[in-house]
């Protein structure tokens, strides 16, 4: 008789835990993302953002959450995709980084998630060694594939 009770308790705990975890993650993400600028400027125009245009005339802006891009430590990115001054929602983002001189990329595959307000949070970045990196943000929007490339030196 103890076995069914154990299963019921385990299922009950599992069912409620992710909900609380997601609430906490959402609160943390909201605190870390760039707030609207006091002077009325858009968040992607603020300090710490690197910007480049795609071949489809979209602006891609990103910054490392928590400050500078670290070497050999996991970090997240805040990314904005903007067209005509308006954040692009509903796009798919894929972020890759390579070291062209070494012929390899990251050892991890980061994941992008849309955030309230129009930005995207890229979780799981890891640039495991110093040197020149190329960060490429691929954007798939309404069947169009575009990309922005950034050079980094660690």
């Amino acid at each position: 008789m103890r076995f069914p009770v154990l299963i019921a308790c385990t299922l009950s705990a599992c069912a409620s835990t992710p909900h609380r975890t997601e609430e906490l993650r959402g609160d943390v993400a909201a605190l870390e993302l760039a707030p609207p600028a006091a002077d009325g400027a858009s968040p992607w125009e603020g300090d710490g953002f690197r910007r480049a245009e795609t071949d489809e005339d979209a602006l891609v802006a990103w910054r490392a959450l928590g400050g500078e891009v670290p070497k050999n430590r996991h970090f997240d990115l805040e990314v904005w995709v903007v067209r005509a001054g308006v954040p692009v929602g509903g796009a798919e983002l894929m972020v890759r980084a390579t070291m062209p001189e070494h012929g390899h990329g990251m050892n991890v595959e980061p994941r992008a998630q849309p955030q309230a307000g129009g930005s995207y949070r890229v979780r799981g970045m890891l640039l495991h060694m110093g040197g020149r990196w190329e960060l490429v943000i691929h954007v798939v929007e309404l069947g169009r594939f575009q990309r922005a490339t950034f050079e980094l030196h660690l």
Side-chain angles (χ1 to χ4, degrees), residues 2-150:
R2 291 170 57 199
F3 185 66
V5 172
L6 178 61
I7 290 174
C9 290
T10 302
L11 291 176
S12 172
C14 290
S16 63
T17 302
H19 180 44
R20 279 190 233 130
T21 302
E22 289 302 314
E23 286 177 3
L24 291 174
R25 283 186 186 153
D27 291 344
V28 171
L31 290 174
E32 292 178 1
L33 296 177
D39 62 0
S42 301
W44 57 86
E45 295 171 334
D47 290 339
F49 280 94
R50 300 206 37 198
R51 293 171 279 282
E53 290 206 11
T54 69
D55 51 351
E56 295 282 333
D57 296 325
L59 172 72
V60 176
W62 68 271
R63 71 176 179 117
L65 292 173
E68 296 294 316
V69 173
K71 181 171 60 172
N72 203 25
R73 283 196 347 256
H74 284 93
F75 64 100
D76 293 349
L77 299 178
E78 176 183 2
V79 178
W80 291 87
V81 179
V82 181
R83 179 170 279 108
V86 178
V88 173
E92 278 186 62
L93 269 60
M94 294 169 285
V95 179
R96 303 290 181 261
T98 60
M99 295 190 85
E101 285 83 12
H102 293 260
H104 65 78
M106 294 187 297
N107 296 328
V108 297
E109 187 172 334
R111 303 279 184 211
Q113 301 170 324
Q115 302 295 301
S119 68
Y120 297 83
R121 182 166 184 160
V122 179
R123 296 180 187 269
M125 295 292 298
L126 177 66
L127 305 180
H128 60 278
M129 61 186 291
R132 186 174 82 85
W133 287 85
E134 283 186 1
L135 175 70
V136 181
I137 300 176
H138 302 270
V139 180
V140 181
E141 172 202 2
L142 301 174
R144 293 183 297 187
F145 179 83
Q146 48 197 312
R147 69 179 180 190
T149 303
F150 303 86

